[in-house]
Amino acid sequence: MNYLSFGKIAVKPDQIDAFIQEGQSKGLKITHVSANIYEFGIQLPTLMDQNHLRKTAGLLGLKYSTD
């Protein structure tokens, strides 16, 4: 497996582009699932710290989530 998923998120429709851009700039892999649902995680192998990326993903989830 060359991808480690941190989960799926429903992104606010007007913030999808910002979510993708910010996630990718922080080293995350963003994958479109359907409608405004996106899966995010990391591409393996990576030299970046996985715990740091997991925290980054959590913060992005809080920032862009529809909940």
Side-chain angles (χ1 to χ4, degrees), residues 20-33:
I20 293 170
Q21 183 178 6
E22 186 172 349
Q24 289 176 343
S25 73
K26 294 183 185 274
L28 297 171
K29 176 159 174 56
I30 310 291
T31 306
H32 180 251
V33 177

Side-chain angles (χ1 to χ4, degrees), residues 1-55:
M1 183 169 149
N2 61 355
Y3 177 75
L4 175 62
S5 174
F6 294 143
K8 295 178 183 168
I9 181 175
V11 180
K12 297 172 188 169
D14 60 334
Q15 295 184 337
I16 290 173
D17 291 335
F19 169 72
I20 293 170
Q21 183 178 6
E22 186 172 349
Q24 289 176 343
S25 73
K26 294 183 185 274
L28 297 171
K29 176 159 174 56
I30 310 291
T31 306
H32 180 251
V33 177
S34 65
N36 67 327
I37 308 295
Y38 288 82
E39 183 173 22
F40 55 114
I42 56 175
Q43 190 75 41
L44 297 173
T46 182
L47 298 176
M48 297 178 78
D49 179 19
Q50 292 185 17
N51 287 329
H52 174 74
L53 289 172
R54 190 179 319 274
K55 290 176 187 173

